[in-house]
Tab-separated table of all heavy atoms in Angstrom:
chain	number	residue	atom	x	y	z
A	41	PRO	N	182.085	7.290	66.132
A	41	PRO	CA	183.159	6.852	65.226
A	41	PRO	C	184.214	5.995	65.929
A	41	PRO	O	184.708	5.022	65.348
A	41	PRO	CB	183.763	8.170	64.725
A	41	PRO	CG	182.657	9.152	64.842
A	41	PRO	CD	181.919	8.756	66.086
A	42	MET	N	184.558	6.333	67.180
A	42	MET	CA	185.532	5.516	67.914
A	42	MET	C	184.973	4.122	68.186
A	42	MET	O	185.665	3.113	68.021
A	42	MET	CB	185.891	6.195	69.242
A	42	MET	CG	186.803	7.392	69.100
A	42	MET	SD	187.559	7.880	70.686
A	42	MET	CE	186.125	8.226	71.681
A	43	GLN	N	183.722	4.079	68.593
A	43	GLN	CA	183.110	2.791	68.905
A	43	GLN	C	182.929	1.922	67.663
A	43	GLN	O	182.876	0.699	67.759
A	43	GLN	CB	181.767	3.018	69.608
A	43	GLN	CG	181.925	3.630	70.997
A	43	GLN	CD	180.664	4.267	71.534
A	43	GLN	OE1	179.645	4.322	70.843
A	43	GLN	NE2	180.709	4.754	72.761
A	44	ALA	N	182.835	2.566	66.493
A	44	ALA	CA	182.649	1.823	65.244
A	44	ALA	C	183.969	1.326	64.653
A	44	ALA	O	183.980	0.604	63.664
A	44	ALA	CB	181.926	2.707	64.223
A	45	SER	N	185.088	1.716	65.259
A	45	SER	CA	186.388	1.303	64.748
A	45	SER	C	186.502	-0.220	64.711
A	45	SER	O	186.020	-0.920	65.603
A	45	SER	CB	187.505	1.877	65.627
A	45	SER	OG	188.751	1.323	65.279
A	46	ARG	N	187.153	-0.724	63.686
A	46	ARG	CA	187.306	-2.172	63.539
A	46	ARG	C	188.299	-2.741	64.559
A	46	ARG	O	188.298	-3.933	64.819
A	46	ARG	CB	187.802	-2.508	62.120
A	46	ARG	CG	186.785	-2.207	61.033
A	46	ARG	CD	187.241	-2.801	59.703
A	46	ARG	NE	188.546	-2.304	59.291
A	46	ARG	CZ	188.726	-1.180	58.589
A	46	ARG	NH1	187.691	-0.441	58.243
A	46	ARG	NH2	189.947	-0.792	58.234
A	47	VAL	N	189.139	-1.882	65.116
A	47	VAL	CA	190.151	-2.357	66.062
A	47	VAL	C	189.547	-2.443	67.461
A	47	VAL	O	189.126	-1.434	68.032
A	47	VAL	CB	191.377	-1.427	66.088
A	47	VAL	CG1	192.391	-1.918	67.111
A	47	VAL	CG2	192.008	-1.341	64.708
A	48	LYS	N	189.460	-3.641	67.989
A	48	LYS	CA	188.980	-3.868	69.352
A	48	LYS	C	189.936	-4.875	70.014
A	48	LYS	O	189.783	-6.076	69.882
A	48	LYS	CB	187.547	-4.418	69.344
A	48	LYS	CG	186.495	-3.425	68.888
A	48	LYS	CD	186.324	-2.312	69.906
A	48	LYS	CE	185.190	-1.364	69.499
A	48	LYS	NZ	185.531	-0.558	68.307
A	49	ARG	N	190.930	-4.357	70.717
A	49	ARG	CA	191.940	-5.208	71.333
A	49	ARG	C	191.382	-5.897	72.583
A	49	ARG	O	190.641	-5.288	73.372
A	49	ARG	CB	193.166	-4.389	71.708
A	49	ARG	CG	193.932	-3.821	70.504
A	49	ARG	CD	195.144	-3.031	70.981
A	49	ARG	NE	196.032	-3.849	71.796
A	49	ARG	CZ	197.134	-4.451	71.341
A	49	ARG	NH1	197.476	-4.316	70.070
A	49	ARG	NH2	197.891	-5.155	72.150
Side-chain angles (χ1 to χ4, degrees):
M42 285 196 301
Q43 292 162 356
S45 171
R46 293 191 302 273
V47 178
K48 291 291 184 291
R49 294 180 58 98

